[in-house]
Amino acid sequence: MRVKNLLKALPIGIILSSFCFAAYASSELDAIMKARGLSEKDILAAAKTYQPSGRKDEYLVFSSGGQSGQVIVYGVPSMRIYKYIAVFTPEPWQGYGYDEESKKVLEGGKINGRAMTWGDSHHPAFTEKNGEYTGDYLFINDKANPRLAVIDLKTFETVQIVSNPVIKSEHGGAFVTPNSEYVLEASQYAAPLDRNYHPLEAFENAYRGAVTLWKFDLDKGRINETESLTLELPPYNQDLSDAGKGVSDGWAFINSFNTEMYTGGIEAGLPPNEAGMSRNDHDYLHVFNWKKIAELGKDPKNVKVINGHRVVPIEVAVANDALFLIPEPKSPHGVDVSPDGKYLVIGGKLDTHASVYDFEKIKKLIDAKDYAGKDTFGIPILDMKKSLHGQVELGLGPLHTAFDSKDGVLYTSLYVDSQVVRWDYKKLKVLDRINVHYNIGHLDSMEGKSTKPKGDWLLALDKLSIDRFNPVGPLHPQNHQLIDISGPKMELTYDLPIPLGEPHDVVSIAADKLTPKVTFDIGTDSRTEKPSPYATLAGQERVERDGNNVTVYATMVRSHINPERITVNKGDHVKIHLSSLERAQDETHGFAVDSMNVHASLEPGKTVTVEFDATEEGVFPYYCTEFCSALHLEMMGYLMVKDPNKQYAAVDAKGTKLTPEQLQAQYKKIVDTNKATDAVIQTVVKYLKEKGYEKYPAVNSMVTDALDQYGKIPEVKSKADAAASKGDLDQAVLWENQVWQYMVKTADVGLRAKARLARELATPMSEAAGRGEKAYLRGGCNGCHVIGQVSSGPDLTGSLKRKGEQWVYEFTMDPESKFNEPYTKGMIHYFNLRMPNQHMTSEETKDIVEYMKWIDNNADLF
Ligand code: K7E
Ligand code: CUA
């Protein structure tokens, strides 16, 4: 049973005492609750959402980043933020927009040749199969500059941006058809599709709305621009959209406002847009058959080519029964299709109702050609009453809707009332409501836009946070609230301040549907996801010159950049291709050159390029920007920019020289150190091999990393030996030092692998022993005692056998009582330390004894 369900089933008293194993802990909890002013409800909310260190979340949430142009990734139920994915806006720490590979992706989003360095991202969407999320790719739209981005969820990187060739502003994207055939992007503010000047007086004639069907190639993971097409729509301001599924598969739906086609004119003394655009009682829900539109678009007879892009005109869609309108209460906002595809729920925004349309009724009217009339553009209008399943009064400002796993149950956000309403769209009745803080926009249940929404959690995306958080200046964070919807009453459990942009919408997915890579294959261009033509392996590092173009093929591995000196002429154009030779998880390097405004992030295996003009003469240090190892600061080099027309005076290198004896001593010392270090490594290797480390994937990958470092030693060692035999001890010492660097890295990972393996092989700990280990660590006992080794205190292995359980218990409770025993006296003398009284409780001490029993049972492993 899931923890939260368990919590629900038990009365609070039992819960609290089952959280806390010992009586003392319960009183400690009481004390904390009192001191912090927490209620039992707070403690429950914490227990439902808190993830202990190392525990992973059940769901990952992908939130639009609003005007930041990015995507924010966080976990449910913990609400911990995991990542900002750079999409429409350069993000230097990821190298995005500062290296050449990512600049190419951003370039796809240029509009009329102008680079766009920001976006207004609104609606993320996953790839789908049969209407269920697949977790392969994520799409997100840019409302400000109509564009669509593709993020690969293997790498969590943006791999493609396409710019819409005909529309000028958009909102109804990104909505994916149930098998990821197309990604829909509908316009918002009508404009001339030819992108030319047409006076506003020509609004009805020359301005148009539109919906673009971006063709997605699932195998390639990219949008195919030439196979994409657009359906022309009237110049009503189209709003949110959704693709049909199940019974409505093949169809899609778009809301609208301003069917009045009002164009404002406040400055000319005319009433403002807000008055003119909401004058009529009704606007139109657009219903169109995207499958038919895609078919029609294949025949050149059926399309107008605008800006090199195929557009299916309204008349063609109408003549082929592919486009209809249905009146809807004025200026609605969201349209959401139910999981089975049968119902369309429309949030009234200016109307207190939500309207539920029945697709089967709509389809019947269409099939019978039962029309209530036609609009100005000749589009058939279906009767509203005949299409409706019903309406429910929800409250002020209904915007968006999310579905529950329970049949007929759904949640609608009330922007003005700051509430979430749970209601039944089949039976048309309200079930529950909860206040949120404040002015909620979108909301989402887990996998809420798929055919299989989950009924455990709901996210409320609140536009205003006002007083919820510590004030951080007039620009407030947004507030994402986590609501437990698994019980009969909705329960608020967590507030997450969103520190980036105004996120409009989120999509969420079961974490186990995602299979992200942990490293790249060596030499990968992460943006094309193919081997980079510039991949450089160890030994291939070089600098090439072609006229004024200097190309550097460089590598990075703990802890050096090769080359460490790059000399160019003033005026040269410099390109540096960098390859990370790391194979170990999370060993990222960064690369920056003084004052050149370039930055790259090199995750293990990545190849990336930075490019700049060396316009000024001077010295420009370059360095690794990630604290990647103890020798990270040493991971640097110099870019020397010379003026080819200048003569530089020769310099006399000064510096203190070692005497031959000193040099000999230094050489001997480093050689001895290396031998000793290697001996340690060999014992670790022997242990790992004997215990069959290959069978444990986590250990195996650490050992691979350790051996990777160790494998670099022979080459360096032979250089050391060659220098020594030539009598160049200076060079020999330097190369031996490099041997030591590799050994330290090997030993570091090797010892971690050993500890991990010991843990894998050990017998399972009893609950008491587990608590004992925690008490042992909390008490800081590991400061003096190292299991399996004599350290600044004795090795605890075997001490129970030597002294007996009772003695160990008494000694831990009150060390001083034993200081006069000859055994203890001897120990104090040997270690020159007395065991301090850690004031453990009797329970804790008993647990520690259990932990020591576990140690003894596994003594051969330590
Ligand atoms: Cu309602 Cu852009 Cu989906 Cu904002 S949108 S809230
Ligand atoms: Cu590599 Cu720091």
Side-chain angles (χ1 to χ4, degrees), residues 390-421:
Q391 290 181 307
V392 180
E393 171 140 20
L394 298 178
L396 295 178
L399 292 188
H400 296 285
T401 288
F403 295 89
D404 198 303
S405 56
K406 288 182 219 65
D407 187 41
V409 177
L410 81 180
Y411 302 83
T412 295
S413 55
L414 299 182
Y415 176 80
V416 180
D417 273 341
S418 293
Q419 280 186 340
V420 169
V421 191

Side-chain angles (χ1 to χ4, degrees), residues 123-261:
H123 305 113
F126 292 112
T127 36
E128 294 180 11
K129 193 166 182 217
N130 298 323
E132 286 187 59
Y133 298 161
T134 67
D136 294 320
Y137 295 91
L138 183 84
F139 307 97
I140 190 148
N141 68 325
D142 173 8
K143 168 172 167 159
N145 325 293
R147 295 179 299 168
L148 195 77
V150 181
I151 296 162
D152 189 339
L153 295 177
K154 285 263 180 306
T155 58
F156 283 52
E157 284 195 1
T158 304
V159 292
Q160 187 183 22
I161 298 177
V162 291
S163 159
N164 196 298
V166 287
I167 66 184
K168 297 301 263 176
S169 112
E170 62 107 299
H171 195 215
F175 296 94
V176 176
T177 57
N179 284 297
S180 309
E181 300 95 333
Y182 289 95
V183 187
L184 306 180
E185 185 188 34
S187 61
Q188 179 121 77
Y189 304 120
L193 299 185
D194 62 11
R195 296 195 154 166
N196 290 330
Y197 176 84
H198 297 271
L200 275 165
E201 288 67 33
F203 196 76
E204 254 189 71
N205 302 323
Y207 288 57
R208 286 294 178 268
V211 55
T212 299
L213 283 60
W214 289 107
K215 178 81 189 121
F216 187 63
D217 183 336
L218 196 53
D219 291 332
K220 293 205 176 105
R222 298 294 184 275
I223 283 166
N224 183 328
E225 292 185 73
T226 50
E227 284 189 29
S228 303
L229 73 166
T230 291
L231 166 63
E232 179 193 29
L233 295 175
Y236 310 147
N237 289 343
Q238 280 75 23
D239 201 29
L240 287 204
S241 317
D242 203 357
K245 50 189 129 179
V247 290
S248 54
D249 186 15
W251 294 82
F253 312 95
I254 307 175
N255 274 336
S256 67
F257 61 98
N258 197 27
T259 48
E260 297 85 349
M261 296 186 277

